[in-house]
Amino acid sequence: MPTHDLFRILAVTLLLATALGHPLAFAGNVPPANLILRSGFESPSVEDIRPMSDRFDNAATLGDWRRIWRDEYWSADQLEGFDIATTRAGWMTMLPHASTWYQDYRGELTYKAVDGDFIATTRVESRNRSGTGAPGSTLGGSAFSEYSLAGILVRAPRVDMVCCDPSGWQQGRERYVFLSYGSADQTGSYQFEVKTTRAAVPPESHSISTLEISDTDATQVDLRVARIGPALIMLLREQGAGWRAHRRYRRDDFPESLQVGMTVYTDWEIASTYPFAQHNNSVITHAWQDPGTPAAPDLRAQFDFFHFDRPLVPMPLQGVDLTDAALVNDAQLLAFLGDAVP
């Protein structure tokens, strides 16, 4: 008899024994909650995803993270520097080249594939390259030029992938949301940026991005993104404050499996001079076709941890549209997505 069938029989036998109060049952007549989920035949959408978390205290776990530029066969690594627990003990450090996420511009994404509902949480510090202030303050770039931020990005995998060849890429197919912290349109000041991007619908020729920016005084923040059905809930916690619900998006177009991880991007002024495909496939050192105008990436992003968990939605809210504030207020969201999350 195959091993997986033996596991299945054992699991069912123990659950029946528990229900009937048989001596085979576990103490207290309550079997371990993960009995079936670890038997090898669980659905990926409900399996325990906490083991995918990373405290960034071991440099060897760098290889556990997937990189979007490799997985999509682009030739350009958009990170100039990348390590765990080397630059700073207990932290992941990223130094991006000039690059961005907007419409069909594809920036850095260091991620893991997650099926079903999830909660992703990280702590991030965004600084200029010298580490002395907010991003963009090293050279004092003009307002609206910077967009140097780091955070959590959730993305639908590409549907036009051709193995080992990026030439099959087509613009107009990006689907993602993110919550980031750094400097957006006010160079050298701390801000949050959230962005939702959907695929183009004819006659549109490119993906459509909608962003919102808000200011903060915090120099270190905790970011959290929860996916519950079609709802994407963005939460944040500034130093000395509690969790708060920041933005909500409904994304019925997202598939079951998503790419969930960390993004960094910087130097919009130069990155945005490139056509989409050339940007996505280049290590950008100067403006498009203008070597005399050098790039000025000014972001050093550091992540203290990245934690995955499953949401436990209260019974009264199950099946309710969590993106509708008239049906579910912020306090109701925070009751199970705030401090209740480990």
Side-chain angles (χ1 to χ4, degrees), residues 12-62:
V12 172
T13 300
L14 291 173
L15 288 173
L16 289 173
T18 296
L20 298 173
H22 193 277
L24 280 175
F26 292 90
N29 291 336
V30 179
N34 61 359
L35 175 65
I36 294 180
L37 297 184
R38 294 190 178 181
S39 65
F41 52 87
E42 65 272 11
S43 167
S45 64
V46 297
E47 66 182 351
D48 187 2
I49 58 175
R50 289 173 296 179
M52 294 198 302
S53 304
D54 199 330
R55 297 295 308 182
F56 300 141
D57 53 4
N58 183 351
T61 64
L62 193 69

Side-chain angles (χ1 to χ4, degrees), residues 270 273-274 285-295:
I270 296 299
T273 64
Y274 280 67
T285 59
H286 56 75
W288 173 245
Q289 298 182 336
D290 181 10
T293 303

Side-chain angles (χ1 to χ4, degrees), residues 76-159:
D77 182 352
Q78 290 170 319
L79 289 185
E80 178 182 340
F82 183 40
D83 68 73
I84 289 177
T86 300
T87 299
R88 182 180 181 183
W91 293 69
M92 174 186 278
T93 299
M94 291 183 174
L95 298 175
H97 292 290
S99 54
T100 192
W101 283 96
Y102 182 70
Q103 295 179 348
D104 291 295
Y105 289 125
R106 192 267 316 148
E108 171 63 26
L109 176 57
T110 297
Y111 74 98
K112 296 186 179 181
V114 182
D115 290 332
D117 295 347
F118 63 81
I119 300 173
T121 308
T122 191
R123 175 169 297 153
V124 61
E125 290 184 358
S126 296
R127 301 284 187 271
N128 58 19
R129 283 294 184 92
S130 61
T132 58
S137 54
T138 299
L139 299 176
S142 59
F144 305 101
S145 70
E146 196 59 35
Y147 287 91
S148 293
L149 303 101
I152 299 174
L153 189 145
V154 176
R155 181 175 182 254
R158 275 177 50 189
V159 297

Side-chain angles (χ1 to χ4, degrees), residues 69-75 158 160-170 281:
W69 75 276
R70 288 194 187 120
D71 287 354
E72 295 186 357
Y73 310 109
W74 300 100
S75 62
R158 275 177 50 189
D160 56 1
M161 289 290 296
V162 177
C163 178
C164 313
D165 182 3
S167 63
W169 175 85
Q170 298 179 43
N281 210 32

